[in-house]
Amino acid sequence: MTGLTVVATGLAQVFWGGTYVVTTEFLPPDRPLFTALMRALPAGLLLLAVTRVLPRGDWWWRAAALGALNIGAFFPLLFLAAYRMPGGMAAVAGSVGPLLVAGLGAVLLSERVRARTVVTGLAAVAGVALVMAPGIGTVDAVGMAAAFGSAGAMSLGTVLGKRWGRPAGVGPLALTGWQLTAGGLVIAPLALAVEGAPPAIDGAGAAGYAYLALVNTALAYWLWFRGLGRMTATGVAFLVPLSPLTATVLGWGLLGEALTAMQVVGMAVALGATVAGQTSLRLRRRAGGGAAATPRPPSRQASRPGSRSRSREHTRA
């Protein structure tokens, strides 16, 4: 892993942090599931058309499972949390991702959970809590469960993605297309049942959806899954605080929202925790001879290359 890999993977969280600005300024209001669908399915189908690689063997159900966790479950739960309680509270709940990934990594990847990882993860949560403090209100049980559920779904998807790796001959772009398509197909019937027919879309809305699909989703998820293949699951998870921090900075710079001294302190704490998490993992790898945790090799069948026929959520939305 190089510093460039960390920066590129962190860019995914920066792109996701811009979701709120694009959604509020360009898209039809009160259509979160339709927005999630327009982010995932067109981007997934585009990547399938570009790569022309389909899953084979075990990777049909693996891609479906990862897509359901990282996209199909994550988006709806995230939006439910945003609707049931203030975005700040949802962001704080979502910032527990590094701790969840560390725990799941211990079980599924045999990665050791170190005290420094736990302390750094708690510091990240505390920093995000300070940044989001103006938006933290009354705790709603359903909303909180949805927020933790969205963080849990993405965390489990991250760890399973690291455990399974990729089939031989299949790049991260194709794997991203599989997951976005599978997740979009999960969201489509839910969006139709809950929100009904698609809304009217004007020019600004079309531009907003195009940006979300191409940059905020296709490019960002490719960077994220590419980084997951090169970094430890915990190292990737420690980049999560960059999303709410980006959302806060964009709200201040583009929407004229106030930024208090407490929020600035929180940003420093969260950024410090992110840097400390990456530094700790890099030093640990050097001490261990440069070896990083690697997923178990895929089965022979799964290793074959794929066929060439054919609201306001300050989280990583």
Tab-separated table of all heavy atoms in Angstrom, residues 177-234:
chain	number	residue	atom	x	y	z
A	177	GLY	N	-19.134	-2.804	-10.978
A	177	GLY	CA	-20.334	-2.896	-11.784
A	177	GLY	C	-21.276	-3.983	-11.299
A	177	GLY	O	-22.500	-3.798	-11.270
A	178	TRP	N	-20.729	-5.129	-10.910
A	178	TRP	CA	-21.562	-6.211	-10.389
A	178	TRP	C	-22.338	-5.749	-9.155
A	178	TRP	O	-23.534	-5.970	-9.038
A	178	TRP	CB	-20.713	-7.415	-10.013
A	178	TRP	CG	-19.948	-8.042	-11.130
A	178	TRP	CD1	-20.065	-7.765	-12.477
A	178	TRP	CD2	-18.932	-9.035	-11.020
A	178	TRP	NE1	-19.187	-8.529	-13.193
A	178	TRP	CE2	-18.476	-9.322	-12.340
A	178	TRP	CE3	-18.340	-9.708	-9.952
A	178	TRP	CZ2	-17.476	-10.269	-12.588
A	178	TRP	CZ3	-17.349	-10.656	-10.199
A	178	TRP	CH2	-16.923	-10.921	-11.506
A	179	GLN	N	-21.610	-5.126	-8.236
A	179	GLN	CA	-22.241	-4.756	-6.968
A	179	GLN	C	-23.273	-3.637	-7.147
A	179	GLN	O	-24.352	-3.672	-6.534
A	179	GLN	CB	-21.180	-4.334	-5.959
A	179	GLN	CG	-20.247	-5.462	-5.552
A	179	GLN	CD	-19.359	-5.089	-4.383
A	179	GLN	OE1	-19.826	-4.587	-3.372
A	179	GLN	NE2	-18.059	-5.324	-4.523
A	180	LEU	N	-22.956	-2.648	-7.963
A	180	LEU	CA	-23.906	-1.551	-8.169
A	180	LEU	C	-25.176	-2.052	-8.858
A	180	LEU	O	-26.289	-1.636	-8.516
A	180	LEU	CB	-23.259	-0.446	-9.004
A	180	LEU	CG	-22.181	0.376	-8.301
A	180	LEU	CD1	-21.518	1.337	-9.275
A	180	LEU	CD2	-22.755	1.138	-7.121
A	181	THR	N	-25.021	-2.955	-9.820
A	181	THR	CA	-26.194	-3.500	-10.496
A	181	THR	C	-27.041	-4.326	-9.535
A	181	THR	O	-28.273	-4.179	-9.488
A	181	THR	CB	-25.768	-4.364	-11.697
A	181	THR	OG1	-24.981	-3.577	-12.604
A	181	THR	CG2	-26.972	-4.911	-12.431
A	182	ALA	N	-26.394	-5.196	-8.759
A	182	ALA	CA	-27.131	-6.015	-7.800
A	182	ALA	C	-27.839	-5.144	-6.763
A	182	ALA	O	-29.014	-5.365	-6.435
A	182	ALA	CB	-26.177	-6.986	-7.107
A	183	GLY	N	-27.139	-4.135	-6.255
A	183	GLY	CA	-27.751	-3.242	-5.275
A	183	GLY	C	-28.903	-2.448	-5.861
A	183	GLY	O	-29.937	-2.258	-5.210
A	184	GLY	N	-28.739	-1.982	-7.105
A	184	GLY	CA	-29.812	-1.239	-7.759
A	184	GLY	C	-31.051	-2.095	-7.955
A	184	GLY	O	-32.182	-1.615	-7.794
A	185	LEU	N	-30.868	-3.367	-8.277
A	185	LEU	CA	-32.009	-4.266	-8.454
A	185	LEU	C	-32.715	-4.546	-7.129
A	185	LEU	O	-33.917	-4.835	-7.116
A	185	LEU	CB	-31.539	-5.582	-9.085
A	185	LEU	CG	-31.057	-5.468	-10.537
A	185	LEU	CD1	-30.510	-6.800	-11.027
A	185	LEU	CD2	-32.179	-4.981	-11.446
A	186	VAL	N	-31.991	-4.459	-6.028
A	186	VAL	CA	-32.620	-4.593	-4.714
A	186	VAL	C	-33.454	-3.353	-4.400
A	186	VAL	O	-34.573	-3.448	-3.863
A	186	VAL	CB	-31.558	-4.815	-3.616
A	186	VAL	CG1	-32.176	-4.724	-2.225
A	186	VAL	CG2	-30.884	-6.176	-3.787
A	187	ILE	N	-32.933	-2.171	-4.740
A	187	ILE	CA	-33.604	-0.918	-4.403
A	187	ILE	C	-34.816	-0.654	-5.288
A	187	ILE	O	-35.805	-0.064	-4.835
A	187	ILE	CB	-32.605	0.257	-4.513
A	187	ILE	CG1	-31.484	0.090	-3.481
A	187	ILE	CG2	-33.299	1.602	-4.293
A	187	ILE	CD1	-30.351	1.080	-3.653
A	188	ALA	N	-34.783	-1.093	-6.560
A	188	ALA	CA	-35.829	-0.741	-7.529
A	188	ALA	C	-37.240	-1.077	-7.050
A	188	ALA	O	-38.116	-0.194	-7.038
A	188	ALA	CB	-35.534	-1.408	-8.874
A	189	PRO	N	-37.534	-2.310	-6.640
A	189	PRO	CA	-38.910	-2.587	-6.190
A	189	PRO	C	-39.276	-1.844	-4.915
A	189	PRO	O	-40.438	-1.461	-4.722
A	189	PRO	CB	-38.911	-4.111	-5.977
A	189	PRO	CG	-37.479	-4.480	-5.785
A	189	PRO	CD	-36.696	-3.524	-6.618
A	190	LEU	N	-38.298	-1.611	-4.044
A	190	LEU	CA	-38.556	-0.869	-2.809
A	190	LEU	C	-38.926	0.577	-3.123
A	190	LEU	O	-39.873	1.135	-2.548
A	190	LEU	CB	-37.322	-0.923	-1.905
A	190	LEU	CG	-37.434	-0.258	-0.537
A	190	LEU	CD1	-38.531	-0.913	0.289
A	190	LEU	CD2	-36.098	-0.326	0.195
A	191	ALA	N	-38.196	1.196	-4.050
A	191	ALA	CA	-38.489	2.580	-4.424
A	191	ALA	C	-39.872	2.698	-5.055
A	191	ALA	O	-40.619	3.637	-4.770
A	191	ALA	CB	-37.422	3.091	-5.397
A	192	LEU	N	-40.236	1.736	-5.904
A	192	LEU	CA	-41.540	1.768	-6.551
A	192	LEU	C	-42.662	1.589	-5.534
A	192	LEU	O	-43.693	2.279	-5.593
A	192	LEU	CB	-41.616	0.684	-7.619
A	192	LEU	CG	-42.911	0.629	-8.441
A	192	LEU	CD1	-43.098	1.927	-9.216
A	192	LEU	CD2	-42.885	-0.566	-9.389
A	193	ALA	N	-42.459	0.674	-4.573
A	193	ALA	CA	-43.504	0.401	-3.587
A	193	ALA	C	-43.688	1.562	-2.614
A	193	ALA	O	-44.809	1.889	-2.230
A	193	ALA	CB	-43.154	-0.882	-2.814
A	194	VAL	N	-42.592	2.209	-2.216
A	194	VAL	CA	-42.662	3.256	-1.199
A	194	VAL	C	-42.969	4.621	-1.805
A	194	VAL	O	-43.769	5.386	-1.270
A	194	VAL	CB	-41.342	3.313	-0.392
A	194	VAL	CG1	-41.347	4.493	0.571
A	194	VAL	CG2	-41.128	2.006	0.375
A	195	GLU	N	-42.336	4.947	-2.936
A	195	GLU	CA	-42.431	6.301	-3.492
A	195	GLU	C	-43.274	6.392	-4.759
A	195	GLU	O	-43.576	7.500	-5.210
A	195	GLU	CB	-41.024	6.836	-3.783
A	195	GLU	CG	-40.155	6.963	-2.537
A	195	GLU	CD	-38.757	7.481	-2.817
A	195	GLU	OE1	-38.409	7.629	-4.011
A	195	GLU	OE2	-38.019	7.730	-1.864
A	196	GLY	N	-43.645	5.276	-5.326
A	196	GLY	CA	-44.480	5.313	-6.516
A	196	GLY	C	-43.699	5.623	-7.782
A	196	GLY	O	-42.498	5.379	-7.878
A	197	ALA	N	-44.411	6.184	-8.759
A	197	ALA	CA	-43.809	6.464	-10.065
A	197	ALA	C	-42.687	7.494	-9.945
A	197	ALA	O	-42.691	8.327	-9.024
A	197	ALA	CB	-44.882	6.971	-11.029
A	198	PRO	N	-41.714	7.457	-10.856
A	198	PRO	CA	-40.611	8.430	-10.823
A	198	PRO	C	-41.121	9.859	-10.946
A	198	PRO	O	-42.136	10.113	-11.596
A	198	PRO	CB	-39.756	8.038	-12.033
A	198	PRO	CG	-40.095	6.613	-12.301
A	198	PRO	CD	-41.533	6.461	-11.932
A	199	PRO	N	-40.428	10.824	-10.344
A	199	PRO	CA	-40.846	12.231	-10.434
A	199	PRO	C	-40.443	12.846	-11.769
A	199	PRO	O	-39.642	12.283	-12.519
A	199	PRO	CB	-40.067	12.885	-9.288
A	199	PRO	CG	-38.808	12.076	-9.213
A	199	PRO	CD	-39.222	10.661	-9.524
A	200	ALA	N	-41.007	14.010	-12.053
A	200	ALA	CA	-40.579	14.775	-13.237
A	200	ALA	C	-39.164	15.298	-12.992
A	200	ALA	O	-38.830	15.742	-11.890
A	200	ALA	CB	-41.540	15.924	-13.492
A	201	ILE	N	-38.329	15.234	-14.008
A	201	ILE	CA	-36.922	15.622	-13.869
A	201	ILE	C	-36.617	16.736	-14.865
A	201	ILE	O	-36.818	16.569	-16.073
A	201	ILE	CB	-35.985	14.429	-14.120
A	201	ILE	CG1	-36.286	13.294	-13.141
A	201	ILE	CG2	-34.527	14.865	-13.990
A	201	ILE	CD1	-35.493	12.039	-13.408
A	202	ASP	N	-36.166	17.893	-14.358
A	202	ASP	CA	-35.787	18.995	-15.236
A	202	ASP	C	-34.304	18.902	-15.581
A	202	ASP	O	-33.632	17.921	-15.245
A	202	ASP	CB	-36.111	20.334	-14.574
A	202	ASP	CG	-35.415	20.512	-13.223
A	202	ASP	OD1	-34.484	19.728	-12.909
A	202	ASP	OD2	-35.802	21.442	-12.483
A	203	GLY	N	-33.789	19.918	-16.251
A	203	GLY	CA	-32.394	19.891	-16.664
A	203	GLY	C	-31.419	19.815	-15.503
A	203	GLY	O	-30.435	19.073	-15.550
A	204	ALA	N	-31.689	20.595	-14.450
A	204	ALA	CA	-30.812	20.574	-13.282
A	204	ALA	C	-30.841	19.203	-12.615
A	204	ALA	O	-29.807	18.683	-12.181
A	204	ALA	CB	-31.235	21.653	-12.284
A	205	GLY	N	-32.031	18.614	-12.539
A	205	GLY	CA	-32.145	17.293	-11.944
A	205	GLY	C	-31.401	16.250	-12.750
A	205	GLY	O	-30.725	15.380	-12.196
A	206	ALA	N	-31.510	16.322	-14.082
A	206	ALA	CA	-30.804	15.372	-14.935
A	206	ALA	C	-29.294	15.499	-14.741
A	206	ALA	O	-28.577	14.486	-14.662
A	206	ALA	CB	-31.174	15.608	-16.398
A	207	ALA	N	-28.803	16.740	-14.640
A	207	ALA	CA	-27.367	16.947	-14.411
A	207	ALA	C	-26.959	16.412	-13.049
A	207	ALA	O	-25.888	15.792	-12.899
A	207	ALA	CB	-27.034	18.431	-14.515
A	208	GLY	N	-27.803	16.635	-12.033
A	208	GLY	CA	-27.497	16.134	-10.700
A	208	GLY	C	-27.450	14.622	-10.645
A	208	GLY	O	-26.528	14.034	-10.064
A	209	TYR	N	-28.420	13.962	-11.277
A	209	TYR	CA	-28.432	12.499	-11.289
A	209	TYR	C	-27.245	11.952	-12.072
A	209	TYR	O	-26.655	10.924	-11.707
A	209	TYR	CB	-29.739	11.983	-11.893
A	209	TYR	CG	-30.919	12.067	-10.956
A	209	TYR	CD1	-32.091	12.713	-11.338
A	209	TYR	CD2	-30.859	11.500	-9.680
A	209	TYR	CE1	-33.176	12.802	-10.473
A	209	TYR	CE2	-31.943	11.580	-8.812
A	209	TYR	CZ	-33.090	12.226	-9.213
A	209	TYR	OH	-34.158	12.313	-8.349
A	210	ALA	N	-26.885	12.634	-13.178
A	210	ALA	CA	-25.728	12.190	-13.962
A	210	ALA	C	-24.451	12.277	-13.134
A	210	ALA	O	-23.612	11.365	-13.154
A	210	ALA	CB	-25.602	13.034	-15.233
A	211	TYR	N	-24.298	13.375	-12.382
A	211	TYR	CA	-23.120	13.518	-11.524
A	211	TYR	C	-23.094	12.430	-10.457
A	211	TYR	O	-22.047	11.810	-10.209
A	211	TYR	CB	-23.098	14.894	-10.870
A	211	TYR	CG	-21.997	15.027	-9.835
A	211	TYR	CD1	-20.691	15.316	-10.214
A	211	TYR	CD2	-22.263	14.834	-8.476
A	211	TYR	CE1	-19.677	15.404	-9.280
A	211	TYR	CE2	-21.260	14.923	-7.532
A	211	TYR	CZ	-19.963	15.214	-7.935
A	211	TYR	OH	-18.964	15.284	-6.994
A	212	LEU	N	-24.238	12.199	-9.805
A	212	LEU	CA	-24.281	11.188	-8.756
A	212	LEU	C	-23.949	9.802	-9.302
A	212	LEU	O	-23.237	9.022	-8.663
A	212	LEU	CB	-25.658	11.166	-8.088
A	212	LEU	CG	-26.002	12.349	-7.183
A	212	LEU	CD1	-27.385	12.151	-6.564
A	212	LEU	CD2	-24.962	12.538	-6.085
A	213	ALA	N	-24.465	9.481	-10.486
A	213	ALA	CA	-24.234	8.156	-11.055
A	213	ALA	C	-22.786	7.976	-11.505
A	213	ALA	O	-22.166	6.938	-11.230
A	213	ALA	CB	-25.188	7.911	-12.220
A	214	LEU	N	-22.241	8.990	-12.190
A	214	LEU	CA	-20.914	8.836	-12.793
A	214	LEU	C	-19.777	9.080	-11.813
A	214	LEU	O	-18.828	8.285	-11.731
A	214	LEU	CB	-20.784	9.785	-13.990
A	214	LEU	CG	-21.746	9.518	-15.156
A	214	LEU	CD1	-21.582	10.582	-16.233
A	214	LEU	CD2	-21.513	8.130	-15.730
A	215	VAL	N	-19.833	10.195	-11.085
A	215	VAL	CA	-18.722	10.577	-10.200
A	215	VAL	C	-18.942	10.066	-8.783
A	215	VAL	O	-18.085	9.377	-8.207
A	215	VAL	CB	-18.547	12.114	-10.192
A	215	VAL	CG1	-17.421	12.515	-9.234
A	215	VAL	CG2	-18.255	12.622	-11.598
A	216	ASN	N	-20.098	10.398	-8.208
A	216	ASN	CA	-20.384	10.087	-6.819
A	216	ASN	C	-20.552	8.587	-6.578
A	216	ASN	O	-20.373	8.114	-5.449
A	216	ASN	CB	-21.651	10.829	-6.396
A	216	ASN	CG	-21.948	10.723	-4.934
A	216	ASN	OD1	-22.518	9.735	-4.502
A	216	ASN	ND2	-21.575	11.738	-4.162
A	217	THR	N	-20.873	7.828	-7.633
A	217	THR	CA	-21.123	6.402	-7.448
A	217	THR	C	-20.145	5.535	-8.249
A	217	THR	O	-19.365	4.788	-7.667
A	217	THR	CB	-22.578	6.064	-7.842
A	217	THR	OG1	-23.459	6.853	-7.044
A	217	THR	CG2	-22.876	4.598	-7.582
A	218	ALA	N	-20.174	5.605	-9.594
A	218	ALA	CA	-19.312	4.730	-10.393
A	218	ALA	C	-17.836	4.961	-10.063
A	218	ALA	O	-17.099	4.019	-9.737
A	218	ALA	CB	-19.572	4.961	-11.879
A	219	LEU	N	-17.388	6.219	-10.133
A	219	LEU	CA	-15.983	6.525	-9.852
A	219	LEU	C	-15.657	6.306	-8.383
A	219	LEU	O	-14.635	5.670	-8.045
A	219	LEU	CB	-15.671	7.961	-10.247
A	219	LEU	CG	-14.263	8.465	-9.903
A	219	LEU	CD1	-13.204	7.607	-10.562
A	219	LEU	CD2	-14.100	9.932	-10.282
A	220	ALA	N	-16.504	6.797	-7.485
A	220	ALA	CA	-16.204	6.709	-6.055
A	220	ALA	C	-16.162	5.259	-5.573
A	220	ALA	O	-15.258	4.868	-4.829
A	220	ALA	CB	-17.235	7.505	-5.259
A	221	TYR	N	-17.127	4.454	-5.998
A	221	TYR	CA	-17.123	3.058	-5.555
A	221	TYR	C	-15.979	2.274	-6.180
A	221	TYR	O	-15.434	1.357	-5.565
A	221	TYR	CB	-18.473	2.390	-5.848
A	221	TYR	CG	-19.450	2.542	-4.709
A	221	TYR	CD1	-20.413	3.547	-4.723
A	221	TYR	CD2	-19.395	1.708	-3.608
A	221	TYR	CE1	-21.301	3.711	-3.671
A	221	TYR	CE2	-20.276	1.850	-2.543
A	221	TYR	CZ	-21.230	2.854	-2.586
A	221	TYR	OH	-22.103	3.015	-1.526
A	222	TRP	N	-15.595	2.631	-7.414
A	222	TRP	CA	-14.421	1.980	-7.998
A	222	TRP	C	-13.178	2.286	-7.169
A	222	TRP	O	-12.387	1.390	-6.871
A	222	TRP	CB	-14.230	2.446	-9.439
A	222	TRP	CG	-12.918	1.967	-10.014
A	222	TRP	CD1	-12.584	0.686	-10.350
A	222	TRP	CD2	-11.752	2.769	-10.274
A	222	TRP	NE1	-11.278	0.633	-10.818
A	222	TRP	CE2	-10.759	1.892	-10.780
A	222	TRP	CE3	-11.462	4.131	-10.147
A	222	TRP	CZ2	-9.498	2.350	-11.152
A	222	TRP	CZ3	-10.208	4.582	-10.511
A	222	TRP	CH2	-9.235	3.705	-11.011
A	223	LEU	N	-13.007	3.548	-6.772
A	223	LEU	CA	-11.871	3.910	-5.926
A	223	LEU	C	-11.922	3.162	-4.599
A	223	LEU	O	-10.893	2.700	-4.082
A	223	LEU	CB	-11.861	5.420	-5.676
A	223	LEU	CG	-11.512	6.319	-6.865
A	223	LEU	CD1	-11.762	7.784	-6.510
A	223	LEU	CD2	-10.068	6.108	-7.293
A	224	TRP	N	-13.136	3.046	-4.034
A	224	TRP	CA	-13.291	2.390	-2.735
A	224	TRP	C	-12.943	0.903	-2.824
A	224	TRP	O	-12.166	0.385	-2.018
A	224	TRP	CB	-14.726	2.582	-2.246
A	224	TRP	CG	-14.992	2.087	-0.864
A	224	TRP	CD1	-15.708	0.990	-0.496
A	224	TRP	CD2	-14.548	2.690	0.357
A	224	TRP	NE1	-15.736	0.872	0.865
A	224	TRP	CE2	-15.033	1.902	1.413
A	224	TRP	CE3	-13.779	3.824	0.641
A	224	TRP	CZ2	-14.784	2.206	2.745
A	224	TRP	CZ3	-13.528	4.131	1.972
A	224	TRP	CH2	-14.019	3.321	2.998
A	225	PHE	N	-13.498	0.203	-3.810
A	225	PHE	CA	-13.239	-1.235	-3.934
A	225	PHE	C	-11.802	-1.497	-4.388
A	225	PHE	O	-11.209	-2.514	-4.012
A	225	PHE	CB	-14.227	-1.873	-4.906
A	225	PHE	CG	-15.647	-1.846	-4.415
A	225	PHE	CD1	-16.701	-1.570	-5.271
A	225	PHE	CD2	-15.941	-2.071	-3.078
A	225	PHE	CE1	-17.999	-1.540	-4.816
A	225	PHE	CE2	-17.247	-2.038	-2.603
A	225	PHE	CZ	-18.276	-1.779	-3.478
A	226	ARG	N	-11.236	-0.611	-5.173
A	226	ARG	CA	-9.823	-0.725	-5.550
A	226	ARG	C	-8.946	-0.612	-4.309
A	226	ARG	O	-8.001	-1.382	-4.130
A	226	ARG	CB	-9.468	0.365	-6.558
A	226	ARG	CG	-8.008	0.463	-6.945
A	226	ARG	CD	-7.816	1.571	-7.974
A	226	ARG	NE	-6.421	1.820	-8.281
A	226	ARG	CZ	-5.636	2.664	-7.613
A	226	ARG	NH1	-6.149	3.340	-6.583
A	226	ARG	NH2	-4.381	2.842	-7.963
A	227	GLY	N	-9.265	0.369	-3.456
A	227	GLY	CA	-8.502	0.517	-2.223
A	227	GLY	C	-8.657	-0.674	-1.304
A	227	GLY	O	-7.703	-1.101	-0.640
A	228	LEU	N	-9.859	-1.243	-1.270
A	228	LEU	CA	-10.088	-2.410	-0.426
A	228	LEU	C	-9.220	-3.580	-0.836
A	228	LEU	O	-8.811	-4.384	-0.002
A	228	LEU	CB	-11.575	-2.800	-0.485
A	228	LEU	CG	-12.020	-3.968	0.394
A	228	LEU	CD1	-11.734	-3.680	1.857
A	228	LEU	CD2	-13.503	-4.245	0.182
A	229	GLY	N	-8.926	-3.677	-2.131
A	229	GLY	CA	-8.058	-4.753	-2.593
A	229	GLY	C	-6.600	-4.541	-2.237
A	229	GLY	O	-5.817	-5.501	-2.273
A	230	ARG	N	-6.217	-3.316	-1.874
A	230	ARG	CA	-4.812	-3.013	-1.600
A	230	ARG	C	-4.530	-2.671	-0.138
A	230	ARG	O	-3.374	-2.632	0.268
A	230	ARG	CB	-4.361	-1.839	-2.478
A	230	ARG	CG	-4.545	-2.098	-3.963
A	230	ARG	CD	-4.036	-0.940	-4.804
A	230	ARG	NE	-4.212	-1.199	-6.228
A	230	ARG	CZ	-3.678	-0.459	-7.190
A	230	ARG	NH1	-2.941	0.590	-6.860
A	230	ARG	NH2	-3.885	-0.758	-8.460
A	231	MET	N	-5.557	-2.366	0.631
A	231	MET	CA	-5.399	-1.977	2.024
A	231	MET	C	-6.088	-3.004	2.918
A	231	MET	O	-6.870	-3.831	2.452
A	231	MET	CB	-6.014	-0.591	2.268
A	231	MET	CG	-5.427	0.510	1.424
A	231	MET	SD	-6.401	2.052	1.501
A	231	MET	CE	-6.336	2.434	3.260
A	232	THR	N	-5.795	-2.942	4.197
A	232	THR	CA	-6.542	-3.768	5.133
A	232	THR	C	-7.959	-3.218	5.270
A	232	THR	O	-8.217	-2.041	4.998
A	232	THR	CB	-5.881	-3.782	6.522
A	232	THR	OG1	-5.946	-2.458	7.079
A	232	THR	CG2	-4.435	-4.238	6.442
A	233	ALA	N	-8.878	-4.080	5.697
A	233	ALA	CA	-10.258	-3.639	5.877
A	233	ALA	C	-10.334	-2.521	6.913
A	233	ALA	O	-11.078	-1.547	6.743
A	233	ALA	CB	-11.132	-4.824	6.300
A	234	THR	N	-9.561	-2.631	7.991
A	234	THR	CA	-9.567	-1.591	9.025
A	234	THR	C	-8.997	-0.287	8.493
A	234	THR	O	-9.497	0.804	8.797
A	234	THR	CB	-8.775	-2.052	10.250
A	234	THR	OG1	-9.312	-3.285	10.729
A	234	THR	CG2	-8.842	-1.014	11.361
